[in-house]
Amino acid sequence: MPAPDDIVDRGFLEARGKLLEVAAFLDRAERYGRADDYRVAALKQAMRELCDAKQVGRAEAFLRAMSDPTSEPAPQAGKPAAGAWEPKG
Amino acid sequence: MRYIEPHAHMVSRVTDDYERLVLAGCRAVCEPAFWAGFDRSSPQGFYDYYLQLTEYEPRRAAKYHLPHFCWLCINPKEAEDVGFAREVMALIPEFLPKDNVLGIGEIGLNKNTRSELRILEEHIDLAAQHDQLILVHTPHLEDKLKGTRLILSALQSDSRIKPERVIIDHVEEHTVREVLDAGFWAGITLYPVSKCTPARAADILEMHGRERLWVNSACDWGPSDPLAVPKLAMELRARGFSEAELDDFLFKNPCRFLSQCDKFNVTE
């Protein structure tokens, strides 16, 4: 196993860059009047949850937060997957 | 380093990719039947595709001394029309005895619909009738968790299906544990944007171990990388994995699963 500091050295700049892209995306969505889009809202909610210091398994929690929570098969195919579940109504 | 590429859609790749795979240490490539990026208009289109998978692609790979194997099915995206899907499925038994056919796949779900589920169950029945291995596709993005659970339920409802003869592919952090705990094999797909990066795949290995896990590139007509598996090897080396551990995970693990089909014959 690599030393703990090495893990941060190897990943920090890449993670920083990706988070910066998320910040810029949220700004862009708001600037274009799409702050209420369910996908944008889902990202913001997920970011709040990821900042919880008690949160473990953040990647798993993020994916679960984006997932369709229902269990019954759909009557027919709807629109393509978007990356976040859109609550009906 | 040697490895198996257990899930690659080579019909979508240029011939140079076969050379690159071999240069990187690939010892065999396995190609599930999939959605070609457009809906085919007739069962005859699938018949030609099955010929391509069982005759043409093995010859193309053989020019680089790379064994080519395949899986057959109608993919879930084109299974929404149940009548059409059944016409296509009726063609499959003719191809199952071919030398490079490993089993039924990649079946599964796309939008988690009733029709897709019905055809999934009929594919499972087809595999059981012909004693075939099964390779399962799980949905992308927000549909994956629900789809994986529906798929597990369908497989577990058929008492003829042995979990150790089924691989459920495209697992991520939120689905891998349920698949492994149910006794099935799980596949991690390395794919830009959706599915897993090499770093996340290495995380999954660190947290869940490597038993009954394999990794693949699923390289196809979309943004994808046929050398994603050797790139994961680089990440694993940086995490401290030994060469023996890499060999066990990237070569021996897929061999353990695929060797359950007598036709999978790759020299050590």
Side-chain angles (χ1 to χ4, degrees), chain B residues 69-144:
Chain B
F69 300 94
C70 71
W71 303 75
L72 301 178
C73 73
I74 176 169
N75 63 85
K77 192 169 187 343
E78 288 173 279
E80 184 64 11
D81 181 339
V82 171
F84 182 83
R86 286 176 177 151
E87 283 187 66
V88 174
M89 289 176 67
L91 302 172
I92 293 174
E94 173 185 338
F95 289 90
L96 291 179
K98 297 271 191 178
D99 289 343
N100 74 330
V101 177
L102 297 172
I104 301 297
E106 59 183 300
I107 58 174
L109 297 173
N110 177 53
K111 291 300 296 175
N112 300 331
T113 70
R114 291 175 190 154
S115 295
E116 291 173 11
L117 193 56
R118 189 171 304 134
I119 293 302
L120 168 63
E121 290 165 348
E122 292 181 20
H123 272 114
I124 293 170
D125 177 65
L126 179 67
Q129 284 184 38
H130 294 270
D131 194 26
Q132 297 289 306
L133 297 176
I134 295 176
L135 190 157
V136 183
H137 163 96
T138 51
H140 309 285
L141 303 171
E142 75 270 22
D143 302 320
K144 185 183 293 292

Side-chain angles (χ1 to χ4, degrees), chain B residues 36 174 205:
Chain B
H174 59 325
L205 276 182

